[in-house]
Amino acid sequence: LIRFRSAAGSAAEIGYIFYAMTVGLTAGMGFLVMALVMVVLIALLFKAAMPEAPITVDASCCAGVTPESHRHALETMKMCQIKVVND
């Protein structure tokens, strides 16, 4: 259960909050591969649901198990028109 101090906003904003919580909890528990897959999967789902909405992923805030897997994940998102910053 999540309680907001102010109005929660739109459904997209609430989706972003759950997205950040999910990835943060997964990475915090040490499941880095799953967290990396979730970053890519959820970003692609958001892009498919809202193709005109700008979606940005900060490369310095996500990591892969190896530098190569991190690079592949970022390239996958770029190919799907998701903006990657701090690359």
Side-chain angles (χ1 to χ4, degrees):
L1 180 65
I2 296 177
R3 184 174 176 189
F4 297 98
R5 291 181 181 223
S6 61
S10 69
E13 292 172 352
I14 295 171
Y16 291 134
I17 291 170
F18 282 117
Y19 166 62
M21 287 178 12
T22 303
V23 172
L25 287 171
T26 306
M29 291 188 305
F31 298 111
L32 295 179
V33 173
M34 186 178 290
L36 180 64
V37 169
M38 290 174 67
V39 166
V40 174
L41 179 65
I42 294 174
L44 293 175
L45 287 173
F46 276 142
K47 192 63 176 176
M50 301 175 287
E52 299 302 320
I55 297 177
T56 305
V57 174
D58 189 341
S60 64
C61 293
C62 59
V65 177
T66 64
E68 183 180 356
S69 66
H70 180 68
R71 185 176 49 78
H72 286 303
L74 295 176
E75 288 301 318
T76 301
M77 289 186 276
K78 287 178 184 177
M79 286 187 280
C80 296
Q81 300 176 352
I82 295 171
K83 183 178 177 183
V84 178
V85 296
N86 296 327
D87 190 14

